[in-house]
Amino acid sequence: MEIQKELSVHFRAHYSIIALETHEEQRAINLVAAAAKQVGRVIYVASISKGIQNIETPKDAQPSDPRTMLSDIVGKQTPKPAEKAVYILLDMHPYMEDPGVRRTIRDLHSQLKSKMASIVFVSPQFPVHADLQKVVTVFDMPLPDAKELEDILCTRIRKLKEQEKQKRDDIIDKPEQKDKLLAELAKLQPLTAKLVKQADDNKDQIIGALQGLTSVEADNVVSKALVLHDLSIQTILGEKKQIIRKSGVLEYFETAETLEDRKSV
């Protein structure tokens, strides 16, 4: 994904303080971690509820506060040679009003830049005060592209198939429940077959209908459609319409016009 490449380039270029504005926290963590691995960085995730945790070897939560977390990063980067690392700090935006926090970030800017380490703030918003404008590089994380949406759809279909397989395994492993499980499998099989066929036949249209949603929203829409046993475009667009209305940011308009209609104009 383009944003991952951009982050990787910025890490190699020694950009020390980056902010990523997004509501999709886990997706952002995954993207930053992937970019950091590309340049051989150790990855930490930090929040006031859990403290600083190595993403590969997380420990029990150790609640902290913003100043302490930033001071801990200073401490981690003091030894020589310092660790090449990326620190992902979650939901720090409310604490940017604290002059002490901003001062520490400015101090870290110089310290990290010379030691191949970076801080990435991940928050729904990240207000940049005047004293940080020349220090922080802000990215607005784009919505998932077609490939990511396809992965979401395929993951849900794979899990659906796994449910049917698990039911078959249970029939073998639990002979005392065989009749009950066979009846459940008989109901599950045609539903699974129908949904898998809908996904295969309409994959491109489904992905197109999901565009404009976050990864969490898209996953919720697909999940609900599967629960309703109807992965039709009408169901997908109906759920998307509800999400857009709830956001209050955009207005949804239905149209009977198709792409082919536009091509003929």
Side-chain angles (χ1 to χ4, degrees), residues 210-264:
L210 292 172
Q211 287 184 328
L213 300 176
T214 67
S215 59
V216 173
E217 289 170 339
D219 186 60
N220 286 342
V221 167
V222 173
S223 297
K224 185 172 180 181
L226 293 177
V227 169
L228 295 171
H229 306 143
D230 184 11
L231 204 53
S232 66
I233 302 302
Q234 290 77 11
T235 299
I236 299 294
L237 290 176
E239 290 304 311
K240 181 178 182 179
K241 180 179 180 180
Q242 294 302 316
I243 289 172
I244 291 174
R245 280 181 171 173
K246 281 191 293 184
S247 72
V249 177
L250 300 172
E251 190 171 354
Y252 184 92
F253 293 95
E254 293 186 5
T255 176
E257 186 178 53
T258 67
L259 184 59
E260 292 302 318
D261 294 331
R262 294 293 299 167
K263 287 179 180 179
S264 63

Side-chain angles (χ1 to χ4, degrees), residues 107-121:
D107 292 341
L108 277 166
H109 169 64
S110 301
Q111 181 181 357
L112 298 180
K113 195 169 182 64
S114 62
K115 297 185 177 181
M116 296 184 70
S118 304
I119 289 175
V120 180
F121 294 104

Side-chain angles (χ1 to χ4, degrees), residues 35-185:
K37 286 180 180 178
Q38 286 181 332
V39 293
R41 304 289 176 89
V42 178
I43 306 153
Y44 294 92
V45 179
S47 66
I48 61 171
S49 61
K50 295 183 179 179
I52 300 177
Q53 303 273 343
N54 186 308
I55 200 170
E56 300 290 344
T57 56
K59 300 178 181 179
D60 292 338
Q62 298 177 334
S64 186
D65 62 83
R67 289 198 186 196
T68 300
M69 286 195 301
L70 292 171
S71 296
D72 288 345
I73 293 173
V74 172
K76 284 179 176 291
Q77 290 297 313
T78 298
K80 295 182 180 180
E83 190 173 46
K84 298 177 182 179
V86 170
Y87 302 89
I88 305 172
L89 273 60
L90 307 177
D91 290 333
M92 286 284 285
H93 57 289
Y95 309 106
M96 290 299 108
E97 297 299 324
D98 184 339
V101 168
R102 299 201 304 273
R103 178 67 258 180
T104 306
I105 291 172
R106 291 173 66 189
D107 292 341
L108 277 166
H109 169 64
S110 301
Q111 181 181 357
L112 298 180
K113 195 169 182 64
S114 62
K115 297 185 177 181
M116 296 184 70
S118 304
I119 289 175
V120 180
F121 294 104
V122 174
S123 299
Q125 57 179 337
F126 194 84
V128 181
H129 286 253
D131 50 357
L132 292 179
Q133 286 181 354
K134 302 300 182 181
V135 172
V136 181
T137 300
V138 180
F139 286 91
D140 184 11
M141 194 170 79
L143 292 168
D145 58 21
K147 177 62 171 63
E148 289 179 277
L149 294 172
E150 182 180 3
D151 289 343
I152 290 170
L153 175 62
C154 290
T155 296
R156 284 295 169 185
I157 293 298
R158 185 177 67 251
K159 289 181 178 179
L160 190 67
K161 293 178 180 178
E162 288 171 356
Q163 287 180 3
E164 184 176 321
K165 181 180 181 301
Q166 183 60 54
K167 195 70 68 176
R168 293 178 185 276
D169 292 341
D170 288 344
I171 291 171
I172 297 172
D173 297 337
K174 303 173 183 178
E176 72 282 1
Q177 300 180 34
K178 183 177 179 179
D179 291 342
K180 174 176 174 290
L181 293 170
L182 281 171
E184 292 175 356
L185 181 61

